[in-house]
């Protein structure tokens, strides 16, 4: 008997450990395999996008108007919208669009690319390729591990065209010696954004805009930013605040700028840098007549030349209404359409553009930009993007699926698997048990929609293939070009029918689609804590970015007093000390947030003016990695750190098997006001309006300057999609965000109630409030039990 | 609240619960809910909460089952593209859904069992006339004598009671058989039984040919008799003295009543019980049906005739032209027809007959095959759902009884399914480790909880699984045969009271050993696979655990079918009856009858003055009692009359410090002797009830599971050693069994 009990116990333990094994595999593999989302050029290892001044760059970021330099002549056009780009793994491809004016397309002559690669990359088997509009313009061996190499190639005449041009960069890399899957993480090539650009024929004048359509050709700088320098007569008391906020949105949408940054100045610059658009916002055309000796006022045209030959946009009118009307002309026709916008504009970041999924859909890989391809390495990755509406509400229970059509040419050994990460987080692991010659059709990989969010989602599919050949690792194995795996473009992504319900607080929906503000033809109410130009600029940067993602431009009403928005959806922007306490209280922020002040104080010691390009030195080690390490240690030690005992072990098991915590089951509804952690530069927080069921979104920092710098940092394409929850604090010190998820959300229906949708909404709500489902069901069952009893005592024999 | 209001409330709340249960919520939310339900249900079970709590308990369990069904349907089926997985997956899925459907019907039936019925007291003068039918086919004389004596001993006005022995074993067809042996045996039997009947004052009736088996025999009885009511007792079902007084009283007050059924109480163990040695401590397998299902069917006016131990109204049976005979379970078929004609039935929960059940596995399976085939025939010929005249509840009840008998098919699928993955790597159930715990384990646990709460006192954990497995192998062909050819099966009398003269494995047992070997080999393969392919270790362990469960049950079954020695011809019932013993030399001693069967009794003897026997050496006329000595006992009968002396012969003597125990065989020569034996053995139904109550204890889920595992381990060993012993015949067989 005793023996039986022991063997049963052993079996039980074995079952449980095996079950957890399955789950444990996921995070581990995720940490290794979750390669960056397209935005996340940081990835693992060294930060590629360090913002250090680089004297060799063609244009120095801190170049001021009037200062000399190569860049003033604007003979170059940056190519990397994400800033420095790291291509890692055995095959990595990125594709996006750049926009050129007709002049630029005609006069561009060459392409310069600067890269450095990891020492592990074997030059004989590794190639770096660039295609423009589908035609190869560069194909070189990756062979520069000791120093940055600059490659210059000519661009064939006629290849570029006015408007969108597709850039496609691919790195195919193999390890020098190792054949392990792990070794593929040592393979990378970094492309230096500051030295990678198009060059133009001498005498060409890139940057000259001739029509509103050319605004997209402003492009971006070496960091991927587009600076909108708005020149106003009196920046200190921005009487034109509303116009600035409206204009910023209009330009962001019209220019298809993925990361617009607004700066406000009172002086007309003598020229503009690449990626900068100077806009003159004048109450009357005459006002600028005197700004320059040779500045002709163009009464009808809306452009004028700056001293360096680049073009500035002029928005002038006698009355605010007239200015407003002129700004409205900038807004593209399709955006003015009052019907709800269900498009995303990702051309500046991805090619092909992201598909927008409004409900159940099956999207073939071919359509999503993943072509049929063969692969000879051991770790295959590819990624696709799909956009979801702002009221996407199925995160807690939904399941998308990848249906894979693939072929395997070699035996897959145990430990081979497909891993899917969504928005950079591991979502699914599927062990592979394949024999050579096996073809799979529509093999499903279930992806919990937990990490999906409104707006653009990046889904990365990786295949980790362990083979006998690699285990032997005879010399030259990595040189082999025989394909081991083929992925067919008939594979597809299946999005299930999902619940549609707007929720607040939900900063993810706000950042991705401007919810609940950017949704109908109404007015965007903005409360500014002060009239400083930095505050206005910060507000404008925020609005420009949200507007770009929402694909909608909202008229703005800057309210003078908080009482005016007591019963309104509103944005409240300002330094923490200057915002009314009620704004902080309503959004769950503490009145006293010392970390914000600290960050603001250390930000610009003694600097009076705000330079939008103020160098922000990031720590030497990858901060994301540091956070990862901390989280990994927290995971390893459990929530109580070193708390021993079976309960802790049980919690640990719950978390690893079900991603379930005790806190999730028994949530605390009364959370204390939030005070951001050290090193926080800026905080976004969402909550209730003072009265009624409206949403307030607060953006605050230690000072107006910190606000301006903070929002610029936070809106970077790599950071902005991480904005989520009811509070998001951007920690400049670690370059991470701290997200507080709401314990309770309010529903804001976007569509008339519909039974099927309500069911899915209920499912999601009950799934995200774990104990509520149990309570509701227990109650309903008790009621049904009683009702059954009432019936049963009356029917049949008693 | 009136009926309509309650119904409306029920329907609307049920809709809400169904909608909630069918929400596609996350696995975490389901897990939290499952845990909450398990806790609430465990508490309710611990407090044995009844009344409204019972319904809450059931609804909670049903909600988890509904969630399981929803999840199983939407998330676990392999893609239709993989036909080699999809087809077996659909089979497994259908089997599960079928089982859940039958569980649903069953839950409806047992939702709120009615209070036990109390028989109305009728003045003796107003009692209706009763014909007692004892149909027989091949039962031996002693058994019939005991039954007839017990029937004769029933308390009822003599002028209103006629007892009939309906002998189908010596029909003209048989006595005139061309086979000499059959013919002579039949003639002798007719002669013998006629004389027996004469002695007892019982009418003997046989007929020309054995047409329509038992139903035909009963119809023949009907044709020759006239009483208002008919009581039917199988030849091996001896009624208690108060049988008619506890049942007849229902009829005068309810003119539409066609049946009063009483439970079949068995004084011997079925072969499984006997081999597992659980008869004395564990509730018998049949008790769940007799104590709970029949009683619950009575709520819905759907208690049906079980072939014996029942009283029927002649008018009702005449209404449908006699007992039905299109299926081989004429009893249930007749009830279905009568219910459909608007007649009603009643069930009395007290055991009022003592019966014998088959003692060998072969006969046990024969009986079950008949039930299975007969019930499936009813489902095929008279599908209750579409049978007009029935209430909805009655339709459900009959469907539940009929569908139950498809269990060999579903059980076989559950047995094979894990092998498909473990041996052939087929994915028939797409599930991750976490989902398995949250959905499958919680579903299984809740099923066990519900089973234990609803049937725990009559059915211990895992016993259903064991019995179904044990029957599955041989019922499977029977089920397929009746499905293929519904008219083929014919009635065969279940042989009972067949003595096992030596321990042996029934020949029928071979498939069990083969299956056990396959399951054990699969266990070995799964252990090897865990280490060989660690990437699927979680899945292999999960499915391997399922297979292990099957293996444990299969192992237990090995012991259950390995017959134990059974030397005593008839089973002894423990009783306590004061008696006087007269030795051959005429000395009168005082004693107590401590156990009795229809062939003999055990008596504890003290001295006539009540003093313990000195030195433990009993003296009878100066001579010690010795085996072979004759003696006789007298005792007061239940009716109050003083009985005639009952002659006996001593078989064994065991001396104790205060008394001596003698085992005796009856030497019955006349009807009065049989009346005495029947009075001793069967007259007092209270003692059966007491015995039954003693066994009907709910062992609980935990303890029951541990008990079952221990037993399974022991029985596996016992079954395997039987096999070894059989393969080496020179070894002492008895040794192997010990």
């Amino acid at each position: 008997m005793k023996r039986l009990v022991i063997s049963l116990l052993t079996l039980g333990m074995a079952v449980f450990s095996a079950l957890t094994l399955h789950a444990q595999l996921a995070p581990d593999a995720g940490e290794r395999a979750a390669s960056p989302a397209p935005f996340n050029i940081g990835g693992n290892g060294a930060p590629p996008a360090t913002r250090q001044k680089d004297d060799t760059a063609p244009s120095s970021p801190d170049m001021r108007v009037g200062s000399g330099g190569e860049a003033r002549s604007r003979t170059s056009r940056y190519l990397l919208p994400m800033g420095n780009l790291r291509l890692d793994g055995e095959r990595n491809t990125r594709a996006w669009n750049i926009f050129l004016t007709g002049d630029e397309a005609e006069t561009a002559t060459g392409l310069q690319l600067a890269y450095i690669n990891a020492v592990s990359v074997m030059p004989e088997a590794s190639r770096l390729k660039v295609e423009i509009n589908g035609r190869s313009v560069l194909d070189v061996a990756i062979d520069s591990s000791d120093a940055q190499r600059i490659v210059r190639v000519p661009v064939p005449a006629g290849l570029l065209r006015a408007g969108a041009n597709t850039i496609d960069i691919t790195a195919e890399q193999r390890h020098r010696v190792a054949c392990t899957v792990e070794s593929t993480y040592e393979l990378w090539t970094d492309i230096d954004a500051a030295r990678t650009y198009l060059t133009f024929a001498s005498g060409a004048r890139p940057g000259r805009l001739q029509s509103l359509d050319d605004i997209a050709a402003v492009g971006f700088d070496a960091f991927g930013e587009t600076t909108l320098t708005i020149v106003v007569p009196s920046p200190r008391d921005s009487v034109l605040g509303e116009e600035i906020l409206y204009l910023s949105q209009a330009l962001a949408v019209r220019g298809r700028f993925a990361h617009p940054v607004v700066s406000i100045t009172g002086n007309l610059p003598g020229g503009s840098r690449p990626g900068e658009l100077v806009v003159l916002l004048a109450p009357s055309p005459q006002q600028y007549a005197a700004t320059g000796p040779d500045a002709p006022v163009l009464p009808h045209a809306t452009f004028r030349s700056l001293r360096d030959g680049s073009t500035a946009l002029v928005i002038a009118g006698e009355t605010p209404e007239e200015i407003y009307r002129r700004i409205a002309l900038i807004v593209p026709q399709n955006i003015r359409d009052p019907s709800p916008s269900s498009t995303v504009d990702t051309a500046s970041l991805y090619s092909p553009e992201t598909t927008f999924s409004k409900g159940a859909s099956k999207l073939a890989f071919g359509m999503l930009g993943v072509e049929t391809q063969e692969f000879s390495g051991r770790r295959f990755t590819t990624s696709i993007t799909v956009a979801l509406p702002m009221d996407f509400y199925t995160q807690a229970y939904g399941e998308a699926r990848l249906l894979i059509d693939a072929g395997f040419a070699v035996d897959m050994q145990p430990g081979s698997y497909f891993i899917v990460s969504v928005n950079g987080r591991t979502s699914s692991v599927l062990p592979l048990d394949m024999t050579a010659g096996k073809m799979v059709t529509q093999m499903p990989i279930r992806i919990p929609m937990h990490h999906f969010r409104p707006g653009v989602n990046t889904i990365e599919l990786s295949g980790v293939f362990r083979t006998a050949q690699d285990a032997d690792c005879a010399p030259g194995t990595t040189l082999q070009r025989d394909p081991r795996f083929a992925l067919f473009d008939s594979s597809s992504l299946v999005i299930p029918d999902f619940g549609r319900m707007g929720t607040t607080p939900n900063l993810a929906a706000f950042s991705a689609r401007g919810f609940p503000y950017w949704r109908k033809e109404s007015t965007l109410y903005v409360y500014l804590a002060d009239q400083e130009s930095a505050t206005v600029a910060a507000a404008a940067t925020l609005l420009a970015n949200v507007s770009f993602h929402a694909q909608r431009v909202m008229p703005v009403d800057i309210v003078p007093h908080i009482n005016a928005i007591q019963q309104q959806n509103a944005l409240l922007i300002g330094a923490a000390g200057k915002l009314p306490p009620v704004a902080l209280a309503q959004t769950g922020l503490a009145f006293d947030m010392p970390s914000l002040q600290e960050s603001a104080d250390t930000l610009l010691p003694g600097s009076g003016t705000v330079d939008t390009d103020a160098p922000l030195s990031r720590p030497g080690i990858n901060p994301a990695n540091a956070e990862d390490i901390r989280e990994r240690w927290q995971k390893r030690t459990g929530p109580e750190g070193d708390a021993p005992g079976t309960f802790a072990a049980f919690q640990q098991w719950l978390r690893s098997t079900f991603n379930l915590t005790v806190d999730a089951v028994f949530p605390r509804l009364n959370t204390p006001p939030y005070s951001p952690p050290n090193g926080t530069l800026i905080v976004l927080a969402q909550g209730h309006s003072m009265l009624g069921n409206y949403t307030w979104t607060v953006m605050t920092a230690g000072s107006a300057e910190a606000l301006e710098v903070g929002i610029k940092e936070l809106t970077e394409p790599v950071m902005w999609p991480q904005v989520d929850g009811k509070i998001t604090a951007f920690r400049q010190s670690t370059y991470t965000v701290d997200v507080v998820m709401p314990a309770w959300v309010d529903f804001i229906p976007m569509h008339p109630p519909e039974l099927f949708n309500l069911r899915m909404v209920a499912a999601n709500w009950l799934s995200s409030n774990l104990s509520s489902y149990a309570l509701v069901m227990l109650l309903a069952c008790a009621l049904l039990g009683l009702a059954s009893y009432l019936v049963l005592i009356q029917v049949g024999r008693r | 609240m009136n009926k309509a209001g309650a119904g409306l409330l029920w329907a609307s709340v049920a809709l809400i619960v169904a909608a909630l249960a069918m929400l596609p919520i996350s696995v975490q939310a389901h897990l939290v809910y499952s845990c909450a339900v398990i806790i609430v249900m465990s508490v309710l079970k611990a407090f044995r909460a009844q009344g409204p709590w019972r319904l809450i308990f059931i609804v909670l369990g049903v909600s988890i089952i509904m969630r399981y069904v929803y999840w199983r349907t939407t998330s676990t089926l392999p893609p239709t593209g993989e036909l080699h997985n999809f087809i077996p997956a659909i089979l497994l899925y259908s089997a599960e859904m079928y089982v859940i459907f039958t569980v649903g019907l069953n839950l409806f039936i047992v939702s709120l069992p009615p209070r036990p019925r109390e028989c109305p007291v009728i003045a003796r003068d107003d009692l209706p006339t009763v014909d007692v039918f004892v149909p027989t086919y091949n039962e031996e004389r002693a058994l019939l004598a005991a039954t007839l004596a017990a029937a004769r001993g029933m308390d009822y006005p003599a002028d209103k009671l006629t007892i009939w022995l309906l002998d189908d074993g010596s029909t003209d067809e048989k006595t005139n058989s061309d086979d000499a042996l059959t013919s002579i045996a039949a003639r002798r039997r007719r002669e013998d039984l006629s004389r027996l009947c004469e002695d007892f004052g019982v009418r003997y009736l046989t007929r020309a040919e054995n047409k329509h088996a038992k139903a035909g025999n009963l119809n023949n009885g009907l044709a020759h008799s006239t009483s208002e009511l008919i009581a039917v007792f199988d030849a091996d079902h001896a009624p208690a003295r108060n049988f008619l007084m506890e049942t007849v009283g229902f009829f005068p007050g309810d003119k539409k009543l066609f049946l009063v059924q009483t439970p079949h109480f068995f004084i011997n163990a079925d072969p499984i019980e006997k081999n597992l040695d659980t008869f004395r401590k564990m509730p018998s397998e049949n008790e769940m049906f007799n104590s709970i299902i029949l009683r619950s069917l009575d709520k819905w006016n759907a208690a049906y005739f079980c072939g014996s131990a029942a009283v029927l109204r002649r008018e009702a049976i005449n209404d449908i032209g006699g007992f039905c005979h299109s299926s081989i379970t004429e009893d249930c078929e007749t009830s279905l027809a009568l219910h459909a004609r608007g007649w009603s039935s009643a069930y009395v929960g007290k055991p009022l007959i003592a019966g014998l059940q088959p003692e060998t596995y072969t006969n046990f399976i024969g009986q079950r095959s008949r039930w299975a085939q007969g019930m499936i025939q009813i489902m095929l010929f008279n599908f209750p759902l579409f049978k007009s005249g029935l209430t909805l509840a009655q339709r459900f009840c009959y469907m539940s009884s009929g569908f139950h008998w498809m269990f060999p098919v579903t059980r076989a699928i559950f047995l094979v399914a894990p092998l498909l993955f473990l041996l052939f790597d087929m994915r028939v159930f797409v599930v991750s480790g976490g989902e398995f715990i949250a959905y499958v384990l919680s579903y299984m646990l809740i099923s066990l909880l519900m089973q234990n709460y609803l049937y725990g006192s009559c059915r211990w954990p895992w016993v259903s699984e064991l019995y179904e497995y044990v029957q599955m192998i041989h019922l499977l062909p029977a089920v397929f045969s009746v499905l293929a050819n519904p008219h083929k099966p014919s009635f065969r009398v279940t042989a009972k009271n067949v003595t096992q003269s030596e321990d042996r494995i029934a020949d029928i047992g071979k498939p069990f050993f083969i299956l056990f070997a396959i399951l054990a080999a699969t266990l070995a393969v799964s252990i090897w696979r865990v280490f060989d392919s660690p990437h699927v270790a979680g899945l292999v362990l999960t499915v391997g655990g399922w297979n292990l469960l099957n293996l444990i049950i299969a192992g237990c079954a090995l012991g259950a079918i390995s017959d134990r020695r059974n030397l005593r011809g008839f089973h002894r019932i423990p009783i306590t009856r004061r008696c006087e013993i007269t030795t051959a030399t005429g000395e009168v001693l005082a004693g107590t009858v401590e156990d009795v069967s229809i062939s003999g009794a055990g008596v504890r003897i003290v001295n006539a003055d009540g003093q313990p026997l000195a030195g433990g050496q009993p003296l009878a006329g100066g001579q010690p009692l010795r085996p072979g000595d004759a003696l006789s006992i007298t005792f007061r009968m239940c009716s109050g009359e003083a009985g005639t002396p009952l002659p006996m012969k001593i078989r064994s003597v065991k001396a104790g410090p205060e008394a001596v125990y003698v085992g005796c065989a009856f030497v019955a020569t006349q009807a009065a002797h049989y009346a005495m034996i029947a009075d001793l053995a069967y007259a007092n139904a209270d003692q059966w009830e007491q015995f039954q109550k003693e066994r009907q204890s709910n062992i609980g889920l935990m303890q029951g599971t541990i008990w079952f595992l221990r037993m399974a381990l022991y029985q596996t060993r016992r079954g395997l050693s039987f096999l070894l012993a059989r393969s080496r015949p020179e070894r002492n067989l008895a040794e192997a069994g010990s």
Side-chain angles (χ1 to χ4, degrees), chain A residues 13 20 31 65 90 97 146-147 173 216 219 311 333 344 403 460 464 479 514 520 584 632 660 708 754 775 790:
Chain A
M13 280 154 61
T20 50
E31 271 146 31
V65 174
E90 290 178 308
N97 294 292
D146 47 351
Q173 305 173 116
T311 315
Q333 190 63 43
V344 283
L403 299 176
E460 188 190 72
V464 168
L479 271 171
K520 33 178 139 60
L584 302 177
R632 204 153 56 223
L660 185 66
E708 188 178 1
E754 192 257 317
L775 283 176
L790 282 180

Side-chain angles (χ1 to χ4, degrees), chain B residues 132 134 143-155 161 163 200 233 237-244 352-354 598 671 674-679 681-683 688:
Chain B
V132 173
V134 180
L143 190 69
L144 290 171
T147 305
L148 293 177
R152 187 83 277 181
M154 285 192 296
D155 177 20
L161 182 65
I163 298 169
F200 281 108
F233 301 114
H237 284 182
R241 194 177 140 68
N242 55 345
F243 179 89
L244 291 174
L352 292 171
I353 60 110
I598 58 170
Y674 283 110
M676 294 287 288
I677 297 169
D679 190 80
Y682 301 130
W688 309 337

Side-chain angles (χ1 to χ4, degrees), chain B residues 542-594:
Chain B
T542 311
V543 184
W546 178 3
N547 182 60
L548 180 69
L549 196 63
N550 283 337
L551 180 69
I552 291 170
I553 293 170
C556 195
L558 294 187
I561 52 131
S562 297
D563 286 338
R564 269 180 204 276
R565 188 186 290 263
N566 175 26
L567 289 178
R568 190 178 290 152
F570 292 96
H571 272 273
R572 301 222 164 175
I573 315 156
I575 62 162
T576 310
R577 185 80 70 92
R578 178 80 168 79
C579 66
E580 278 183 352
I581 299 106
T582 313
T583 63
T585 54
E587 189 178 349
V588 177
L589 301 168
T592 310
V593 183
E594 297 214 310

Side-chain angles (χ1 to χ4, degrees), chain B residues 37-111:
Chain B
V37 167
I38 287 168
I39 290 168
V40 173
M41 284 173 71
S42 303
V43 170
L44 289 177
K45 191 171 92 65
F47 284 98
R48 294 169 199 273
Q50 290 294 335
W53 295 110
R54 180 183 174 93
L55 275 305
I56 291 174
F57 183 95
I58 292 175
V59 168
L60 284 173
V62 168
S63 74
I64 292 289
I65 295 175
M66 279 164 77
R67 288 230 24 89
Y68 177 79
V69 169
Y70 177 79
W71 169 79
R72 184 80 175 82
T73 310
T74 55
S75 311
T76 63
L77 295 173
T80 45
E82 306 169 22
L83 273 189
H84 62 289
N85 287 337
F86 185 73
I87 291 169
I90 280 293
L91 271 178
L92 176 63
Y93 170 80
S94 311
E96 279 187 59
M97 292 305 122
Y98 180 86
V99 167
I100 287 170
F101 173 67
T102 55
V103 165
L105 287 176
N106 217 23
L107 286 175
F108 165 77
I109 293 169
V110 300
S111 52

Side-chain angles (χ1 to χ4, degrees), chain B residues 20 39 55 86 110-111 136 147 165 187 242 250 305 314 337 457-458 676 684 692 719:
Chain B
L20 282 171
I39 290 168
L55 275 305
F86 185 73
V110 300
S111 52
T136 173
T147 305
L165 182 67
R187 281 166 200 274
N242 55 345
F250 290 101
F305 178 39
R314 177 185 298 271
S457 60
C458 291
M676 294 287 288
N684 187 1
Q692 204 175 35

Side-chain angles (χ1 to χ4, degrees), chain A residues 301-598:
Chain A
T302 48
F303 294 100
R304 63 168 279 183
S305 290
L306 292 176
R307 210 180 304 149
D308 68 345
S310 63
T311 315
L313 176 64
V314 181
I315 310 283
E318 295 289 349
T319 60
E321 288 74 27
E322 199 179 335
I323 292 177
Y324 235 88
R325 220 167 29 246
R326 295 208 166 195
I327 296 171
L329 291 175
I330 301 175
V331 179
Q333 190 63 43
N334 62 322
I335 304 288
R336 282 180 231 165
D337 180 11
S339 68
S341 162
S342 62
T343 56
V344 283
D345 182 2
T346 53
S348 313
L349 290 166
Y350 306 109
S351 174
E353 282 199 56
T354 301
T355 308
F356 196 96
S357 171
K358 277 196 272 188
S361 45
K362 184 173 178 179
L363 311 166
F365 272 26
M367 204 179 94
L368 296 168
V370 178
E371 286 153 16
T372 296
Q373 52 193 300
E374 292 179 324
F375 182 66
S376 59
R378 46 217 47 80
R379 186 167 65 93
F380 173 85
T381 54
T382 188
S383 63
I384 51 182
T385 57
V386 63
L388 296 170
M390 65 176 95
D391 56 353
F392 167 74
Y393 187 65
T394 303
Q395 295 88 334
Y397 78 90
E399 230 174 43
R401 279 180 305 155
L402 285 176
L403 299 176
I404 303 292
D405 287 348
F408 297 85
V410 287
D411 283 350
M412 293 293 145
Q413 292 192 326
S416 303
Y417 52 85
F418 276 131
I419 181 165
V420 179
S421 60
V422 175
N423 295 327
R425 308 219 216 147
T426 301
S427 290
S428 191
V429 178
L430 182 78
L432 282 177
D433 189 12
M434 297 288 170
T435 47
K438 183 158 180 180
M439 298 268 291
V440 294
T441 46
Q442 304 287 292
M443 180 178 73
I445 305 179
R446 295 156 67 187
I447 314 166
M449 295 187 92
H450 192 65
H451 298 307
F452 281 74
R453 45 180 282 139
V456 178
N457 291 274
T458 307
I459 299 157
E460 188 190 72
L461 169 72
S462 303
V464 168
F465 308 134
R466 295 187 196 273
T467 63
Q469 204 183 14
D470 279 350
D472 292 348
C473 201
T477 301
T478 54
L479 271 171
Q480 295 234 341
R481 292 257 159 228
D482 296 337
R484 297 171 160 185
F485 165 73
L487 178 70
F488 302 103
D489 61 4
S490 50
S491 304
S492 52
L493 169 70
V494 178
I495 302 279
D497 210 345
F498 51 80
R500 303 279 304 263
M501 180 56 77
T503 59
T504 66
N506 182 356
L507 286 171
F510 171 76
S511 62
R513 301 295 289 168
F515 186 82
Y517 305 96
W518 273 259
R519 53 188 186 118
K520 33 178 139 60
E521 285 297 321
S522 63
T523 306
L524 179 62
Y525 292 97
V526 178
Y527 172 83
L528 297 177
D530 57 35
Q531 297 294 308
E532 280 191 43
S533 63
T535 308
V536 179
T541 300
L542 174 71
L543 265 59
N545 280 280
V546 174
S547 188
F548 169 72
H549 289 286
Q551 285 297 294
R552 181 161 287 274
V553 176
M554 300 291 292
V556 178
D557 185 352
I558 297 179
V559 296
H561 195 269
I562 198 155
N563 286 343
I565 51 166
Q566 275 180 349
Q567 292 196 62
Q568 294 292 349
N569 286 331
L571 299 176
L572 298 92
I573 296 162
K578 293 181 181 172
L579 276 175
V582 65
L584 302 177
Q586 289 300 106
T587 52
L589 296 175
F591 296 124
D592 184 27
M593 294 182 280
S595 61
L596 285 186
Q597 199 53 53
E598 222 167 83

